[in-house]
Amino acid sequence: MNFEISRKRMVETQLIARGIADQRVIDAMLKIPRHLFVEEAMATNAYSDSPLPIGEKQTISQPYMVALMTELLNLSGGERVLEIGTGSGYQAAILATLVDRVYTIERFRPLALRARRVLDSLHLLNVNLKIGDGSVGWPEEAPFDAIIVTAGAPDIPAPLLQQLSVGGRLVIPVGNQFEQVLKRVTRTADGFQSEQSVGCRFVKLVGKAGWGIEE
């Protein structure tokens, strides 16, 4: 299978055709080899228009959703970005090509370790990864210019809002455990402004400021 051809087709038919217009995001999606972030047996499906399982009951998001959420962050290149839910590491890889520094948190150790290996193999050395409860953010490294949450939350976690710099953007799916709406929150000098994007469905954001801790 020619993965480069599949990647170009993915970008043309799934992203550009659906309105993704940020050329930096498009270039990042063309550059990063998505097939390296899924199990080898599923590599031929890596560029399909759907999420895929990655273990631990988690998924790698649909390519369009990765591109849309990245575009909504409105990144210019010098930002420090926090990602909640490393998963496969694919979203972190896209961000790493676009910004100065990525901080990403994953609660499942096997996923975190595998993501770290793939990111290192691609020489994406501007990604800081830790294992922990992403719903409470990474206060030691705050504030962040942008925050992206790749799991659905019942509400926007207060700790993440507080870790956003003035002018910063937070993109997060908010709703119940079965369907959510993608929201973008911008922090201003006076508070927070919220906008809605598309309907979506993500795995649960598990944690103290999410759906609670699962035993």
Side-chain angles (χ1 to χ4, degrees):
M1 182 174 180
N2 189 315
F3 290 117
E4 187 173 354
I5 290 175
S6 296
R7 194 154 59 249
K8 288 180 179 178
R9 186 181 300 119
M10 173 195 78
V11 169
E12 292 170 0
T13 63
Q14 299 176 38
L15 310 187
I16 296 173
R18 288 179 179 155
I20 299 298
D22 186 326
Q23 189 60 50
R24 296 181 70 244
V25 174
I26 291 169
D27 290 343
M29 299 289 286
L30 280 170
K31 178 181 179 180
I32 297 298
R34 182 177 165 92
H35 60 278
L36 297 183
F37 293 88
V38 299
E39 296 294 337
E40 189 174 350
M42 303 192 72
T44 55
N45 296 319
Y47 299 99
S48 62
D49 187 20
S50 62
L52 295 170
I54 57 172
E56 306 293 343
K57 299 182 180 178
Q58 305 298 298
T59 60
I60 180 173
S61 294
Q62 173 195 26
Y64 171 72
M65 190 58 65
V66 173
L68 176 61
M69 293 179 77
T70 306
E71 187 173 66
L72 287 171
L73 291 175
N74 195 25
L75 301 168
S76 60
E79 295 91 351
R80 299 170 73 255
V81 179
L82 174 65
E83 179 195 26
I84 308 304
T86 312
S88 69
Y90 179 66
Q91 176 73 76
I94 296 294
L95 293 170
T97 70
L98 296 171
V99 302
D100 185 57
R101 178 67 59 176
V102 178
Y103 298 83
T104 182
I105 308 173
E106 174 55 52
R107 70 189 184 96
F108 292 109
R109 179 176 294 273
L111 295 183
L113 295 179
R114 185 180 189 280
R116 179 80 272 172
R117 287 195 298 271
V118 180
L119 291 166
D120 288 350
S121 75
L122 295 172
H123 305 290
L124 297 172
L125 305 181
N126 60 334
V127 180
N128 290 40
L129 191 158
K130 79 170 184 176
I131 300 165
D133 180 357
S135 73
V136 299
W138 200 328
E140 299 85 359
E141 297 293 345
F144 299 98
D145 303 302
I147 300 176
I148 183 170
V149 183
T150 61
D155 250 318
I156 300 173
L160 300 185
L161 291 173
Q162 295 309 313
Q163 290 170 39
L164 199 60
S165 63
V166 174
R169 288 81 58 201
L170 164 66
V171 174
I172 181 172
V174 179
N176 60 41
Q177 298 182 34
F178 306 103
E179 59 182 1
Q180 303 95 33
V181 173
L182 203 58
K183 292 189 175 185
R184 177 172 65 183
V185 179
T186 303
R187 186 168 196 173
T188 70
D190 302 318
F192 299 93
Q193 295 179 345
S194 180
E195 309 163 74
Q196 289 194 3
S197 182
V198 300
C200 54
R201 182 174 182 176
F202 281 78
V203 297
K204 294 191 301 182
L205 175 65
V206 175
K208 292 178 182 176
W211 284 102
I213 302 296
E214 291 184 344
E215 299 300 332

